[in-house]
Amino acid sequence: MNSPNSENQLLGLFVGENNRSYYLRVFDEIEQFGGYSFNLWAALLTSFWLLYRKMYLYFVGYVLVNYVIGFIYKSFVGLIFPGTCSGAYCGYSMSGFFYTVIASLVCGMFANALYLRRAKAVIADSVDKENPYAYIKSKGGTSYRGILWIFVFSVVIGFFVAVI
């Protein structure tokens, strides 16, 4: 179970069927050359990509960081330009746009490395499990469940915001 071939098999089991060859190639490049690789889908659809790849803690962290930065941004704009922010709306400006682009690029740059880190953590946790292969398979792969939950949550929140 400690041979490189075995590690590739376990990483493949974790990734699942969707894009297995892509991720195994990218993981190998990250381990050989160090650093990071760019994931276009993670950059374009960060929240959804994290949920789809079952990286729920990273999703929560990403959302919290966005809210904190948004709060700081809104407070900063409100202090510098009083009266420009009203209620929950703080005029979307070019700086907000650039923040979004930068956040997407950073997520795209680090996504594969974070995914590899998650895969290795799950594989390491599986050692003391009764059925390590089933554990790896259940923790890895893809899922539309998280995306569905965030969609339902967004609709419910949108409804309450519209009503109130």
Coordinates of all heavy atoms in Angstrom, one line a residue, residues 51-85:
L51 N -17.9 22.6 -4.0 CA -19.0 21.7 -3.6 C -19.1 20.4 -4.4 O -19.3 19.3 -3.9 CB -20.4 22.4 -3.7 CG -20.6 23.5 -2.7 CD1 -21.8 24.3 -3.0 CD2 -20.6 23.0 -1.2
Y52 N -18.9 20.5 -5.7 CA -18.9 19.4 -6.6 C -17.8 18.4 -6.3 O -18.0 17.2 -6.3 CB -18.7 19.9 -8.1 CG -18.7 18.8 -9.1 CD1 -19.9 18.1 -9.4 CD2 -17.6 18.6 -9.8 CE1 -19.8 17.1 -10.4 CE2 -17.5 17.6 -10.8 CZ -18.7 16.9 -11.1 OH -18.7 15.9 -12.1
R53 N -16.7 18.9 -5.9 CA -15.6 18.0 -5.5 C -15.6 17.6 -4.0 O -14.6 17.1 -3.5 CB -14.2 18.7 -5.9 CG -14.0 18.7 -7.3 CD -13.6 17.3 -7.8 NE -13.7 17.2 -9.2 CZ -13.5 16.0 -9.9 NH1 -13.3 14.9 -9.2 NH2 -13.6 15.9 -11.2
K54 N -16.7 17.9 -3.3 CA -16.9 17.5 -1.9 C -15.8 18.2 -1.0 O -15.4 17.6 0.0 CB -16.9 16.0 -1.7 CG -18.0 15.3 -2.4 CD -17.9 13.8 -2.1 CE -19.0 13.0 -2.7 NZ -18.8 11.6 -2.4
M55 N -15.4 19.4 -1.2 CA -14.5 20.1 -0.4 C -15.3 21.1 0.4 O -15.1 22.3 0.3 CB -13.4 20.7 -1.3 CG -12.6 19.7 -2.0 SD -11.4 20.3 -3.1 CE -10.3 21.2 -2.1
Y56 N -16.1 20.6 1.3 CA -17.0 21.4 2.0 C -16.4 22.4 3.0 O -16.9 23.5 3.1 CB -18.0 20.5 2.8 CG -18.8 19.5 1.9 CD1 -18.7 18.2 2.0 CD2 -19.5 20.0 0.8 CE1 -19.3 17.3 1.2 CE2 -20.1 19.1 -0.1 CZ -20.1 17.8 0.1 OH -20.7 16.9 -0.7
L57 N -15.4 22.0 3.7 CA -14.7 22.9 4.6 C -14.0 24.1 3.8 O -14.1 25.2 4.3 CB -13.7 22.2 5.5 CG -14.2 21.8 6.8 CD1 -13.5 20.6 7.3 CD2 -14.2 22.9 7.8
Y58 N -13.4 23.8 2.7 CA -12.8 24.8 1.9 C -13.9 25.8 1.4 O -13.7 27.0 1.3 CB -12.1 24.3 0.7 CG -10.8 23.6 1.1 CD1 -10.6 22.2 1.1 CD2 -9.7 24.4 1.6 CE1 -9.4 21.6 1.4 CE2 -8.5 23.7 1.9 CZ -8.4 22.4 1.9 OH -7.2 21.8 2.2
F59 N -15.1 25.2 1.0 CA -16.2 26.1 0.6 C -16.6 27.0 1.7 O -16.8 28.2 1.5 CB -17.4 25.2 0.2 CG -18.7 25.9 0.0 CD1 -18.9 26.7 -1.1 CD2 -19.7 25.9 1.0 CE1 -20.1 27.4 -1.3 CE2 -20.8 26.6 0.8 CZ -21.0 27.4 -0.3
V60 N -16.8 26.5 2.9 CA -17.2 27.4 4.0 C -16.1 28.4 4.3 O -16.5 29.6 4.5 CB -17.4 26.5 5.3 CG1 -17.6 27.4 6.5 CG2 -18.6 25.6 5.2
G61 N -14.9 28.1 4.2 CA -13.8 29.1 4.4 C -13.8 30.1 3.3 O -13.7 31.3 3.5
Y62 N -14.1 29.7 2.0 CA -14.1 30.6 0.9 C -15.3 31.6 1.1 O -15.1 32.8 0.9 CB -14.3 29.8 -0.4 CG -14.5 30.7 -1.6 CD1 -13.4 31.3 -2.2 CD2 -15.7 30.8 -2.2 CE1 -13.5 32.1 -3.3 CE2 -15.9 31.6 -3.3 CZ -14.8 32.3 -3.9 OH -15.0 33.1 -5.0
V63 N -16.4 31.1 1.5 CA -17.6 32.0 1.7 C -17.4 32.9 2.8 O -17.7 34.1 2.7 CB -18.9 31.1 1.9 CG1 -20.0 32.0 2.4 CG2 -19.3 30.4 0.7
L64 N -16.8 32.5 3.9 CA -16.5 33.3 5.1 C -15.5 34.4 4.7 O -15.7 35.6 5.1 CB -16.0 32.5 6.3 CG -17.1 31.7 7.0 CD1 -16.4 30.8 8.1 CD2 -18.2 32.5 7.5
V65 N -14.5 34.1 4.0 CA -13.5 35.1 3.6 C -14.2 36.1 2.7 O -13.9 37.3 2.8 CB -12.3 34.4 2.9 CG1 -11.4 35.4 2.1 CG2 -11.5 33.6 3.9
N66 N -15.0 35.7 1.8 CA -15.7 36.6 0.9 C -16.6 37.6 1.7 O -16.7 38.7 1.4 CB -16.6 35.9 -0.1 CG -15.7 35.5 -1.3 OD1 -14.9 36.3 -1.8 ND2 -16.0 34.3 -1.9
Y67 N -17.3 37.0 2.7 CA -18.2 37.9 3.5 C -17.4 38.9 4.3 O -17.7 40.1 4.4 CB -19.1 37.1 4.4 CG -20.3 36.6 3.7 CD1 -20.5 35.2 3.6 CD2 -21.3 37.4 3.2 CE1 -21.7 34.7 3.0 CE2 -22.4 36.9 2.5 CZ -22.6 35.6 2.4 OH -23.7 35.1 1.8
V68 N -16.3 38.4 4.9 CA -15.4 39.3 5.7 C -14.8 40.4 4.8 O -14.9 41.6 5.1 CB -14.3 38.5 6.4 CG1 -13.2 39.5 7.0 CG2 -14.9 37.7 7.5
I69 N -14.3 40.0 3.6 CA -13.7 41.0 2.7 C -14.8 42.0 2.2 O -14.6 43.2 2.1 CB -13.0 40.3 1.6 CG1 -11.7 39.7 2.1 CG2 -12.7 41.3 0.4 CD1 -10.9 38.9 1.1
G70 N -16.0 41.4 1.9 CA -17.1 42.3 1.5 C -17.5 43.3 2.6 O -17.8 44.5 2.3
F71 N -17.5 42.8 3.8 CA -17.9 43.7 5.0 C -16.8 44.8 5.1 O -17.1 46.0 5.3 CB -18.0 42.9 6.3 CG -18.2 43.7 7.5 CD1 -19.5 44.2 7.7 CD2 -17.2 44.0 8.4 CE1 -19.8 45.0 8.8 CE2 -17.5 44.8 9.5 CZ -18.7 45.3 9.7
I72 N -15.5 44.4 5.1 CA -14.5 45.4 5.2 C -14.5 46.4 4.0 O -14.4 47.6 4.2 CB -13.1 44.7 5.2 CG1 -13.0 43.9 6.5 CG2 -11.9 45.7 5.1 CD1 -11.8 43.0 6.6
Y73 N -14.7 45.8 2.8 CA -14.8 46.7 1.6 C -16.0 47.7 1.8 O -15.8 48.9 1.5 CB -15.0 45.9 0.4 CG -15.3 46.7 -0.9 CD1 -14.2 47.3 -1.5 CD2 -16.5 46.8 -1.4 CE1 -14.4 48.0 -2.6 CE2 -16.7 47.5 -2.6 CZ -15.7 48.1 -3.2 OH -15.9 48.9 -4.3
K74 N -17.1 47.2 2.2 CA -18.3 48.1 2.4 C -18.0 49.1 3.5 O -18.3 50.3 3.3 CB -19.5 47.3 2.8 CG -20.8 48.1 3.0 CD -21.9 47.3 3.4 CE -23.1 48.2 3.7 NZ -24.3 47.4 4.1
S75 N -17.4 48.7 4.6 CA -17.1 49.7 5.6 C -16.0 50.7 5.1 O -16.1 51.9 5.4 CB -16.5 48.9 6.8 OG -17.4 48.0 7.3
F76 N -15.1 50.2 4.4 CA -14.0 51.1 3.9 C -14.6 52.2 2.9 O -14.3 53.4 3.1 CB -12.9 50.3 3.2 CG -11.8 51.1 2.6 CD1 -10.9 51.8 3.4 CD2 -11.8 51.3 1.2 CE1 -9.9 52.5 2.8 CE2 -10.8 52.1 0.6 CZ -9.8 52.7 1.5
V77 N -15.4 51.7 2.0 CA -16.0 52.6 1.0 C -17.0 53.6 1.8 O -17.0 54.8 1.5 CB -16.8 51.9 -0.1 CG1 -17.7 52.8 -0.9 CG2 -15.8 51.1 -1.0
G78 N -17.7 53.1 2.8 CA -18.6 54.0 3.6 C -17.8 55.0 4.4 O -18.3 56.1 4.5
L79 N -16.6 54.7 4.8 CA -15.8 55.7 5.6 C -15.2 56.7 4.6 O -15.2 57.9 5.0 CB -14.7 55.0 6.4 CG -15.2 54.2 7.6 CD1 -14.0 53.4 8.2 CD2 -15.7 55.1 8.6
I80 N -14.7 56.3 3.5 CA -14.0 57.2 2.6 C -15.0 58.0 1.8 O -14.8 59.2 1.6 CB -13.2 56.4 1.6 CG1 -12.1 55.5 2.3 CG2 -12.5 57.3 0.6 CD1 -11.2 56.3 3.2
F81 N -16.1 57.4 1.4 CA -17.2 58.1 0.6 C -18.5 58.0 1.4 O -19.3 57.2 1.0 CB -17.3 57.5 -0.8 CG -16.0 57.5 -1.5 CD1 -15.3 56.3 -1.7 CD2 -15.4 58.7 -2.0 CE1 -14.1 56.3 -2.4 CE2 -14.2 58.6 -2.7 CZ -13.6 57.4 -2.9
P82 N -18.7 58.8 2.4 CA -20.0 58.7 3.2 C -21.2 58.9 2.2 O -21.2 59.8 1.3 CB -19.9 59.9 4.2 CG -18.4 60.3 4.2 CD -17.9 59.9 2.9
G83 N -22.2 58.2 2.5 CA -23.4 58.3 1.7 C -23.5 57.5 0.5 O -24.5 57.4 -0.2
T84 N -22.3 56.8 0.1 CA -22.3 56.0 -1.1 C -22.9 54.6 -0.9 O -23.3 54.0 -1.9 CB -20.9 55.9 -1.7 OG1 -20.1 55.3 -0.7 CG2 -20.3 57.2 -2.1
C85 N -23.0 54.2 0.3 CA -23.5 52.9 0.6 C -24.8 53.1 1.3 O -24.9 53.7 2.3 CB -22.6 52.1 1.5 SG -21.1 51.6 0.7

